[in-house]
Amino acid sequence: MNGTGIRLHAPAPGWAIAADVIVVGSGVAGLTTALRCAAAGAKVVVVTKAQMDNGSTRWAQGGIAAALGDGDTPEQHLDDTLVAGAGLCDEPAVRALVTEGPDAVRRLISTGAQFDTSDETGEILLTREGGHHRRRIAHAGGDATGAEISRALVEAVRDAGIETVENALVLDLLTDEAGRTAGVTLHVMGEGQRDGVGAVHAKAVVLATGGMGQVFSATTNPAVSTGDGVALALRAGAEVSDLEFVQFHPTVLWLGPDAEGQQPLVSEAVRGEGAYLVDAEGIRFMTGQHELAELAPRDIVAKGITRRMQETGAEHMFLDARHFGAKMWAERFPTILAACRSHGIDPVTEPIPVAPAAHYASGGVRTDLLGRTTVPGLYACGEVACTGVHGANRLASNSLLEGLVFSERIAADIIADPTAPGAPVVPAPARTPLPASEARYEIQRIMTAGAGVLRSAASLAGAATALERLHTASVEDLERDGKTAEPCVETWEAANLSLVARVLVAAARRREETRGCHWREDRPDRDDDRWRRHLVVRLTPNGTLAVHTTDTADFPPVRQETAPLDSLPVTAETPRGTTLAALKEPS
C-alpha cells in the first residue's frame, strides 16, 4: 500500500509487464533518464500520456542556458540564477546545475540535437534572455529548440529499442510491504494488448510528467499538463515543496477575455533580441522599473504588465518588434510568426497583444541532489520536481538544463542501487471520490480568479473555500450513495487538478509576503526575517494537507524510510554540493 492509503478509483489492472526502471514522461528529463539507464543495461519502459513527442519539452521556444560562450563562466550563471530565485534557491543544487550543465549540453549534441551555429565559425549561436547578464542561451531552429531536442531524444530512444507505452495516464504508485516502490498502475488509451488499466512492475519509478499549468484557465502548457506526477507523489506519501511559486510567463499571445486552455507563447527571446513592451499609447512602461527593463526576471515583467493593465484598465499590453523586419522574423522566430499570423496578428507590421499566463511550476515533488523523493525508489525530475534550483522564480531557459543535469544524476543512482523490491501489495479499495469531469473547468476558474498573478488573503481564502466545497460535495455523494464519478481519464485528471490546486492555495495562503513569482497584493514586501523559508506539504491518510515551514532557507534534506545506499558516496544526508563526478561510475 502507498504511504497514505489514498489512491484513485480505478478498475483492477487487467495486464502487467515488468522492467527495471519506469520513466513516466517523454520530455527532456524523462528521455535522458531512459537513455542513460538503458545504456547501462537496465530494462526501461517509458510511459507517456500522449505521443512520444508531445510533452512540454516540445513547446519550449526560448532555448537552453549554459555557460558555453567566451567570457562566460558557471559562476556567473550561478549568480544570475540565485538573483532570479529571490533568496530561496538551494546554492549546492544550482552549482551542480551550472557546473555540469555545459558538458550535459555537449552530450545532448552528441545524441543528435542540432543547435543553431554561426556560418563563419561553426560555433553555437548564443542569445540572451531575461535575468541573464551574458549571452548563454543556445537555440535550435530559431524558436523551435524544444521541438529539436524532443526530435533528437525520441529518435535516440527508438534507435536504442527502449520499450514505450504511449497514450497512457499513470494512476498510482505500487509499493511492497516495506513501503518501497514496486511499480505503477496506469490506464492506456489505446488499442490492442495494452488497453485499459494495467500495471508496470519495477524497482524504480522516475516521475518526469512536466507541469500543472492546466490548473489555470490560461496557460502555455499543453492539455496533458494536469499535475499528474505531483498528485501521484502526494498520494504515495511523498512531500512537495514551494508549490506556491508558479511562474506566469509575461508575454503570452492574448486571444481574448474568454480564451481557455493552452495559449501561444511569445518567447522571451523576442525581448532578448530587442523587442519592447508598450501600452496602447505606445509608452514603454518597463523603462525605469528595473535595470534590465524588458529583460528583467519574469516575475518583474509579469508584475509590470499586470500593474500597467490595472492602471489603464486594459486587458492586455503590446510587444513591439516591428523594427525586426520581415527577414529577421522569418529566420529567427518562424514558429512565433506563424502562430501570430494564424490568429490574425502580423508582428512584422503591428505590435503583438500579450498578457501573462501560467507557465512553469518552480516547486514540485521534493528531491535531493540525486532526484530521490521521500519515498524509497521514487524519483522526480524536470518540472514535476523541486530540486531547489529555481527557488521562488525560475531563471529563463534553466528548465531544459535542469532536466538534462538531474536526469543524469538519477540514472547514476538507479544503476548503482542493487535493491530489489518485494512483490507489490494489492491496494486496498479507494476511499476518496472522483469529481465529475466538468469540475476541471470550475477548478480552473477558481484558481485564475483567486490564485493567479495577483493574490491576496481574501482571494486565496475564496479559492480555498470554493475548492473545499467541490471536494466536500464529492465526498458527501460517496458517503450518501456509495457512488463516485465514473473512472475515466477526464475524472482522474480532475481529481489530480483538485489535489494540486488545494496544495498550491494552502501554500500561497501560508506565505504572507511577496517573493519571486508569488505576489501578494496585501503583503507587497519581501520579508526575509519571517519568510526566507520553504513550505513543505504532504497528504495525510485522512485526506487533509499537512503544511510546515522549514526553520531556515536551507533546502531540507530528503529523508527516506530505508538506509542510504553504500554503493554511492552521496547519500540523502551528504552536503548538497556534491557533483556528478563524485558519483561512482556503474560498471
Side-chain angles (χ1 to χ4, degrees), residues 187-225:
H187 175 80
V188 179
M189 303 165 272
E191 301 175 354
Q193 291 182 332
R194 291 177 197 155
D195 195 8
V197 175
V200 184
H201 299 156
K203 73 169 188 176
V205 171
V206 182
L207 298 177
T209 51
M212 55 184 191
Q214 291 291 329
V215 79
F216 295 97
S217 295
T219 178
T220 63
N221 290 189
V224 294
S225 296

Side-chain angles (χ1 to χ4, degrees), residues 6-347:
I6 297 173
R7 65 184 186 89
L8 293 173
H9 276 271
W15 53 270
I17 57 176
D20 298 316
V21 183
I22 304 161
V23 175
V24 187
S26 58
V28 62
L31 296 189
T32 302
T33 305
L35 287 166
R36 299 293 179 267
C37 288
K43 181 182 178 182
V44 180
V45 172
V46 175
V47 175
T48 187
K49 196 173 178 182
Q51 299 298 305
M52 285 287 288
D53 62 351
N54 204 32
S56 295
T57 293
R58 170 187 166 190
W59 301 98
Q61 296 173 346
I64 185 166
L68 296 166
D70 292 340
D72 197 6
T73 64
E75 200 70 25
Q76 294 176 70
H77 190 182
L78 180 142
D79 290 343
D80 285 344
T81 301
L82 295 180
V83 169
L88 282 185
C89 292
D90 181 70
E91 186 168 335
V94 179
R95 195 169 294 280
L97 178 86
V98 300
T99 56
E100 296 168 19
D103 282 343
V105 172
R106 295 182 184 104
R107 284 189 287 273
L108 178 62
I109 293 170
S110 69
T111 302
Q114 299 177 9
F115 290 94
D116 297 340
T117 58
S118 167
D119 292 336
E120 293 78 22
T121 66
E123 296 291 322
I124 295 176
L125 289 173
L126 299 174
T127 63
R128 193 173 153 212
E129 294 180 3
H132 294 272
H133 284 78
R134 290 274 187 177
R135 285 184 169 263
R136 66 168 66 98
I137 317 300
H139 293 266
D143 59 357
T145 309
E148 169 58 17
I149 291 173
S150 180
R151 179 207 62 79
L153 290 175
V154 169
E155 187 174 299
V157 163
R158 287 175 174 155
D159 288 346
I162 295 172
E163 188 171 1
T164 61
V165 182
E166 296 182 306
N167 301 308
L169 171 63
V170 67
L171 300 176
D172 281 306
L173 192 73
L174 294 171
T175 56
D176 63 15
E177 288 186 349
R180 183 178 178 86
T181 294
V184 295
T185 56
L186 67 164
H187 175 80
V188 179
M189 303 165 272
E191 301 175 354
Q193 291 182 332
R194 291 177 197 155
D195 195 8
V197 175
V200 184
H201 299 156
K203 73 169 188 176
V205 171
V206 182
L207 298 177
T209 51
M212 55 184 191
Q214 291 291 329
V215 79
F216 295 97
S217 295
T219 178
T220 63
N221 290 189
V224 294
S225 296
T226 51
D228 307 321
V230 171
L232 176 149
L234 282 163
R235 290 191 296 270
E239 295 178 345
V240 303
S241 186
D242 299 349
L243 219 63
E244 68 271 30
F245 296 118
V246 176
Q247 187 178 83
F248 287 79
H249 198 288
T251 52
V252 175
L253 185 62
W254 188 78
L255 300 180
D258 299 322
E260 293 184 336
Q262 186 178 11
Q263 314 286 303
L265 175 67
V266 182
S267 169
E268 195 152 357
V270 177
R271 281 175 281 135
E273 294 295 342
Y276 45 83
L277 288 161
V278 296
D279 60 19
E281 303 299 319
I283 298 171
R284 284 187 66 183
F285 55 88
M286 284 305 299
T287 302
Q289 291 198 36
H290 190 277
E291 62 170 349
L292 296 177
E294 284 90 357
L295 284 176
R298 288 176 176 175
D299 63 301
I300 304 291
V301 181
K303 291 172 188 175
I305 292 173
T306 305
R307 284 194 188 106
R308 196 64 168 181
M309 288 164 59
Q310 288 180 321
E311 292 167 0
T312 62
E315 293 180 300
H316 61 83
M317 290 288 108
F318 293 94
L319 185 65
D320 195 344
R322 289 174 290 180
H323 53 287
F324 285 6
K327 184 174 185 293
M328 180 175 174
W329 265 111
E331 293 179 355
R332 178 69 180 84
F333 301 111
T335 307
I336 299 170
L337 178 64
C340 289
R341 284 178 170 170
S342 72
H343 291 284
I345 305 295
D346 188 350

Side-chain angles (χ1 to χ4, degrees), residues 410-422:
I410 286 173
D413 190 61
I414 290 173
I415 296 305
D417 181 0
T419 307

